[in-house]
Amino acid sequence: MKVKFLGAAGTVTGSCYLLTSYSGDSILIDCGMFQGAEELENLNYAKLACDCSKVSGLILTHAHLDHCGRLPMLIAQGFTKNIWMTAPTRDLTEISLVDSAKINNEDLTKKPLYSNEDVDQIIRLFKTVEYDTSFTVGSFNITMRDAGHILGSASLEIIDQSAQQGIKKIIFSGDLGNTPQDLIRATELIDNGDVVVMESTYGDKSHPTDNPSDIIQSEINSIEQYGATLLIPAFSIERSQEILHRILHLKKSGKVKESTTVYFDSPMGEKATQVFEKYRQYYNTELTADLASSDPFSFTGLVNIENPHESSAIDQSEAPKVIIAGSGMMTGGRIVKHAMHYLPIESTRLLIVGYQAERTLGRALLEGQKLVNIFGVDIEVKAHVSDTQTMSSHADQPRLLHWLKNIKNVKKLILTHGEDIQRSALSEKVKTDLMLTDIALPTLNQELEF
């Protein structure tokens, strides 16, 4: 059996793996977009280092762009087979890819990665499967387990049915969740496997234990007191819905004012919220209980913004106000235009609620830069910038170790989807705590054989 690492090798974006069986059949796992630094984003234009016309199919772990964003490019590379995923992932991926194509084609400074027609063609190949239900692609028997990362996310148990001896079962973690989460069920544990390919986004740290609702309350109370604006850059899928749900409870309990306006300036986020409402059977116990009394993502003072004209008009509206908008790393989307307007204002507050990749605007602000360049304009940062890691949808080091420890008979561990500092730290921790010493940290396009 062989695995080739076509992305997320030493970085947290671009997830894509080619798995080849003993018999020579191969499947792709994810095909995500590289995001962040210019040299990373330039990798998106390269063809995959494999013959896409010969693979037996593709398995998609979840709908974040760093796992699905290059899918439409497979059409030009001869890919014609089925793409397997859970039903929520299917709906969320369609939203993500349509939005990605729109942004790509509107950005005149870059060559578009793919067209709307490419998106339409790749969506026709989507097939859905339930958690815990085995299916076969080529020589592989595959079962999806709930990864607890975002709605519909999956870890993969894959058995090479052509293997007569030696390595037969390989586990791909996908992105593991920060269990317990506010909206979705806990990460499902896996019993056994020969080889594990595991993410390492937060492989070097433990998440804080602060209550994120307390942090959001404090930020909103501050702008209520001073008649100011709170900016929250948020990923459209999962993070936006969690923020809305937490603000709902803060308003219901009287901890923030019902009169404070919250602008949800994310058409893609609104569409994702509709998907959440469609798949209520995937909610955790708490969110299911909330359904008895209210819509879990709506409250007094919430304003959904649809078109760019309405978005621009927010800047003229009265404060105090909260603006939730994408993108989560501030690499594009409506949050960037709001940042240009509000960052130079001392009373503005910016709350970062998710991972910020290297050389993104979000990372620059998080690191305290007082002068940032947005659309070629130097913007002075006078706003108060804070962050919380308690809302991360990724497992931290203790949770990664807990998930891995449960898997019996592991002979080899491969760490991906993490920057080198994080995955190196996790590697050392695994050696010390779990006594597993055969650990690989692959590089881009490297192939490992078992």
Short mmCIF file of all heavy atoms in Angstrom, two decimals, residues 213-224 230 246-262 299-300 322:
data_model
loop_
_atom_site.label_atom_id
_atom_site.label_comp_id
_atom_site.label_asym_id
_atom_site.label_seq_id
_atom_site.Cartn_x
_atom_site.Cartn_y
_atom_site.Cartn_z
N SER A 213 -18.62 32.00 25.38
CA SER A 213 -19.76 32.90 25.54
C SER A 213 -19.42 34.07 26.45
O SER A 213 -19.88 35.20 26.24
CB SER A 213 -20.97 32.14 26.10
OG SER A 213 -21.46 31.22 25.15
N ASP A 214 -18.59 33.82 27.46
CA ASP A 214 -18.16 34.90 28.35
C ASP A 214 -17.32 35.93 27.58
O ASP A 214 -17.44 37.14 27.80
CB ASP A 214 -17.35 34.35 29.52
CG ASP A 214 -18.19 33.52 30.49
OD1 ASP A 214 -19.43 33.64 30.45
OD2 ASP A 214 -17.60 32.75 31.27
N ILE A 215 -16.49 35.43 26.69
CA ILE A 215 -15.62 36.32 25.90
C ILE A 215 -16.47 37.15 24.93
O ILE A 215 -16.28 38.38 24.79
CB ILE A 215 -14.56 35.51 25.14
CG1 ILE A 215 -13.62 34.83 26.15
CG2 ILE A 215 -13.77 36.39 24.18
CD1 ILE A 215 -12.72 33.79 25.56
N ILE A 216 -17.41 36.51 24.25
CA ILE A 216 -18.29 37.24 23.33
C ILE A 216 -19.12 38.26 24.10
O ILE A 216 -19.30 39.40 23.66
CB ILE A 216 -19.20 36.25 22.57
CG1 ILE A 216 -18.36 35.35 21.66
CG2 ILE A 216 -20.24 37.01 21.75
CD1 ILE A 216 -19.15 34.21 21.03
N GLN A 217 -19.62 37.87 25.26
CA GLN A 217 -20.39 38.80 26.09
C GLN A 217 -19.57 40.02 26.45
O GLN A 217 -20.04 41.17 26.35
CB GLN A 217 -20.87 38.10 27.37
CG GLN A 217 -21.61 39.06 28.31
CD GLN A 217 -21.84 38.46 29.69
OE1 GLN A 217 -21.76 37.24 29.87
NE2 GLN A 217 -22.11 39.31 30.67
N SER A 218 -18.32 39.80 26.89
CA SER A 218 -17.46 40.92 27.28
C SER A 218 -17.23 41.88 26.12
O SER A 218 -17.27 43.11 26.30
CB SER A 218 -16.12 40.36 27.79
OG SER A 218 -15.23 41.41 28.08
N GLU A 219 -16.99 41.33 24.93
CA GLU A 219 -16.75 42.18 23.76
C GLU A 219 -18.01 42.98 23.40
O GLU A 219 -17.93 44.18 23.09
CB GLU A 219 -16.31 41.31 22.58
CG GLU A 219 -14.95 40.66 22.75
CD GLU A 219 -13.82 41.66 22.78
OE1 GLU A 219 -13.85 42.64 22.01
OE2 GLU A 219 -12.89 41.48 23.59
N ILE A 220 -19.17 42.33 23.44
CA ILE A 220 -20.40 43.04 23.10
C ILE A 220 -20.75 44.08 24.17
O ILE A 220 -21.15 45.21 23.85
CB ILE A 220 -21.56 42.05 22.89
CG1 ILE A 220 -21.28 41.15 21.69
CG2 ILE A 220 -22.88 42.81 22.68
CD1 ILE A 220 -22.34 40.09 21.44
N ASN A 221 -20.57 43.72 25.43
CA ASN A 221 -20.83 44.70 26.51
C ASN A 221 -19.97 45.93 26.35
O ASN A 221 -20.42 47.06 26.61
CB ASN A 221 -20.58 44.07 27.87
CG ASN A 221 -21.62 43.04 28.29
OD1 ASN A 221 -21.40 42.25 29.19
ND2 ASN A 221 -22.78 43.04 27.63
N SER A 222 -18.73 45.73 25.90
CA SER A 222 -17.82 46.87 25.72
C SER A 222 -18.32 47.81 24.63
O SER A 222 -18.34 49.04 24.83
CB SER A 222 -16.42 46.36 25.39
OG SER A 222 -15.54 47.44 25.21
N ILE A 223 -18.72 47.27 23.51
CA ILE A 223 -19.18 48.17 22.43
C ILE A 223 -20.55 48.76 22.77
O ILE A 223 -20.90 49.85 22.30
CB ILE A 223 -19.17 47.47 21.06
CG1 ILE A 223 -20.07 46.22 21.04
CG2 ILE A 223 -17.76 47.12 20.64
CD1 ILE A 223 -21.27 46.33 20.18
N GLU A 224 -21.33 48.07 23.60
CA GLU A 224 -22.60 48.65 24.07
C GLU A 224 -22.34 49.85 24.97
O GLU A 224 -23.04 50.86 24.89
CB GLU A 224 -23.41 47.59 24.83
CG GLU A 224 -24.02 46.53 23.93
CD GLU A 224 -24.69 45.41 24.72
OE1 GLU A 224 -24.33 45.21 25.91
OE2 GLU A 224 -25.56 44.72 24.14
N LEU A 230 -18.16 46.03 16.91
CA LEU A 230 -17.40 44.80 17.09
C LEU A 230 -17.37 44.05 15.77
O LEU A 230 -18.42 43.71 15.21
CB LEU A 230 -18.03 43.92 18.18
CG LEU A 230 -17.48 42.49 18.32
CD1 LEU A 230 -16.00 42.50 18.69
CD2 LEU A 230 -18.29 41.70 19.34
N ARG A 246 -24.59 31.30 20.24
CA ARG A 246 -24.15 31.81 21.54
C ARG A 246 -24.74 33.20 21.81
O ARG A 246 -25.13 33.51 22.94
CB ARG A 246 -22.62 31.83 21.60
CG ARG A 246 -22.02 30.44 21.69
CD ARG A 246 -20.50 30.47 21.85
NE ARG A 246 -19.95 29.12 21.93
CZ ARG A 246 -19.89 28.40 23.03
NH1 ARG A 246 -20.34 28.90 24.18
NH2 ARG A 246 -19.38 27.18 23.01
N ILE A 247 -24.81 34.04 20.80
CA ILE A 247 -25.42 35.37 20.99
C ILE A 247 -26.91 35.22 21.31
O ILE A 247 -27.45 35.98 22.13
CB ILE A 247 -25.20 36.26 19.75
CG1 ILE A 247 -23.70 36.57 19.58
CG2 ILE A 247 -25.99 37.57 19.87
CD1 ILE A 247 -23.37 37.37 18.33
N LEU A 248 -27.58 34.25 20.68
CA LEU A 248 -28.97 33.96 21.02
C LEU A 248 -29.14 33.75 22.52
O LEU A 248 -30.01 34.36 23.16
CB LEU A 248 -29.44 32.72 20.26
CG LEU A 248 -30.71 32.03 20.77
CD1 LEU A 248 -31.94 32.90 20.52
CD2 LEU A 248 -30.89 30.66 20.13
N HIS A 249 -28.29 32.91 23.10
CA HIS A 249 -28.41 32.62 24.54
C HIS A 249 -28.02 33.83 25.39
O HIS A 249 -28.61 34.05 26.45
CB HIS A 249 -27.54 31.41 24.89
CG HIS A 249 -28.19 30.11 24.55
ND1 HIS A 249 -29.22 29.57 25.31
CD2 HIS A 249 -27.99 29.25 23.52
CE1 HIS A 249 -29.60 28.42 24.76
NE2 HIS A 249 -28.88 28.20 23.68
N LEU A 250 -27.05 34.61 24.93
CA LEU A 250 -26.67 35.82 25.67
C LEU A 250 -27.83 36.81 25.70
O LEU A 250 -28.07 37.48 26.72
CB LEU A 250 -25.43 36.46 25.04
CG LEU A 250 -24.12 35.69 25.22
CD1 LEU A 250 -23.01 36.33 24.39
CD2 LEU A 250 -23.71 35.63 26.70
N LYS A 251 -28.55 36.93 24.61
CA LYS A 251 -29.69 37.85 24.57
C LYS A 251 -30.86 37.32 25.39
O LYS A 251 -31.52 38.07 26.12
CB LYS A 251 -30.12 38.10 23.12
CG LYS A 251 -29.14 38.99 22.34
CD LYS A 251 -29.79 39.68 21.17
CE LYS A 251 -28.89 40.74 20.57
NZ LYS A 251 -29.58 41.64 19.65
N LYS A 252 -31.11 36.02 25.28
CA LYS A 252 -32.22 35.42 26.04
C LYS A 252 -32.01 35.54 27.55
O LYS A 252 -32.96 35.70 28.31
CB LYS A 252 -32.39 33.95 25.65
CG LYS A 252 -33.03 33.74 24.29
CD LYS A 252 -33.05 32.28 23.90
CE LYS A 252 -33.95 31.46 24.80
NZ LYS A 252 -34.05 30.05 24.34
N SER A 253 -30.76 35.48 27.98
CA SER A 253 -30.44 35.56 29.41
C SER A 253 -30.24 36.98 29.90
O SER A 253 -29.98 37.21 31.09
CB SER A 253 -29.19 34.73 29.71
OG SER A 253 -28.06 35.27 29.03
N GLY A 254 -30.31 37.95 28.97
CA GLY A 254 -30.16 39.35 29.35
C GLY A 254 -28.73 39.80 29.57
O GLY A 254 -28.48 40.88 30.11
N LYS A 255 -27.76 39.00 29.16
CA LYS A 255 -26.35 39.35 29.37
C LYS A 255 -25.85 40.36 28.33
O LYS A 255 -24.85 41.03 28.56
CB LYS A 255 -25.49 38.09 29.36
CG LYS A 255 -25.77 37.18 30.56
CD LYS A 255 -24.91 35.92 30.52
CE LYS A 255 -25.17 35.06 31.74
NZ LYS A 255 -24.37 33.81 31.73
N VAL A 256 -26.51 40.40 27.19
CA VAL A 256 -26.30 41.50 26.24
C VAL A 256 -27.67 42.06 25.88
O VAL A 256 -28.70 41.37 26.04
CB VAL A 256 -25.54 41.05 24.97
CG1 VAL A 256 -24.21 40.42 25.33
CG2 VAL A 256 -26.36 40.09 24.13
N LYS A 257 -27.70 43.28 25.39
CA LYS A 257 -28.98 43.95 25.15
C LYS A 257 -29.68 43.39 23.91
O LYS A 257 -29.05 43.16 22.88
CB LYS A 257 -28.74 45.45 24.97
CG LYS A 257 -28.20 46.15 26.21
CD LYS A 257 -27.93 47.62 25.92
CE LYS A 257 -27.36 48.33 27.15
NZ LYS A 257 -27.07 49.76 26.87
N GLU A 258 -30.98 43.20 24.04
CA GLU A 258 -31.76 42.75 22.88
C GLU A 258 -31.70 43.78 21.76
O GLU A 258 -31.79 43.44 20.58
CB GLU A 258 -33.22 42.50 23.28
CG GLU A 258 -33.47 41.15 23.92
CD GLU A 258 -34.92 40.73 23.81
OE1 GLU A 258 -35.76 41.55 23.38
OE2 GLU A 258 -35.22 39.57 24.17
N SER A 259 -31.54 45.05 22.12
CA SER A 259 -31.57 46.12 21.12
C SER A 259 -30.28 46.22 20.30
O SER A 259 -30.25 46.89 19.26
CB SER A 259 -31.81 47.46 21.82
OG SER A 259 -30.78 47.73 22.78
N THR A 260 -29.20 45.57 20.75
CA THR A 260 -27.94 45.64 20.01
C THR A 260 -28.07 44.89 18.69
O THR A 260 -28.39 43.70 18.66
CB THR A 260 -26.79 45.05 20.84
OG1 THR A 260 -26.63 45.81 22.03
CG2 THR A 260 -25.48 45.07 20.05
N THR A 261 -27.81 45.60 17.60
CA THR A 261 -27.96 45.02 16.27
C THR A 261 -26.77 44.13 15.93
O THR A 261 -25.62 44.51 16.15
CB THR A 261 -28.10 46.11 15.20
OG1 THR A 261 -29.19 46.97 15.55
CG2 THR A 261 -28.34 45.51 13.83
N VAL A 262 -27.07 42.95 15.40
CA VAL A 262 -26.03 42.03 14.93
C VAL A 262 -26.24 41.84 13.43
O VAL A 262 -27.27 41.30 13.00
CB VAL A 262 -26.11 40.67 15.65
CG1 VAL A 262 -25.07 39.70 15.09
CG2 VAL A 262 -25.91 40.85 17.16
N PHE A 299 -32.52 35.57 16.46
CA PHE A 299 -32.85 36.30 17.69
C PHE A 299 -33.20 37.74 17.35
O PHE A 299 -32.97 38.22 16.23
CB PHE A 299 -31.66 36.26 18.66
CG PHE A 299 -30.33 36.58 18.02
CD1 PHE A 299 -29.93 37.90 17.80
CD2 PHE A 299 -29.49 35.56 17.61
CE1 PHE A 299 -28.72 38.20 17.20
CE2 PHE A 299 -28.26 35.86 17.01
CZ PHE A 299 -27.88 37.17 16.80
N THR A 300 -33.76 38.43 18.32
CA THR A 300 -34.10 39.84 18.17
C THR A 300 -32.84 40.66 17.87
O THR A 300 -31.83 40.52 18.56
CB THR A 300 -34.76 40.38 19.44
OG1 THR A 300 -35.92 39.61 19.73
CG2 THR A 300 -35.13 41.85 19.29
N VAL A 322 -22.69 44.77 16.00
CA VAL A 322 -21.78 43.65 15.78
C VAL A 322 -21.87 43.29 14.31
O VAL A 322 -22.96 43.20 13.75
CB VAL A 322 -22.17 42.43 16.65
CG1 VAL A 322 -21.22 41.26 16.39
CG2 VAL A 322 -22.20 42.80 18.12
#
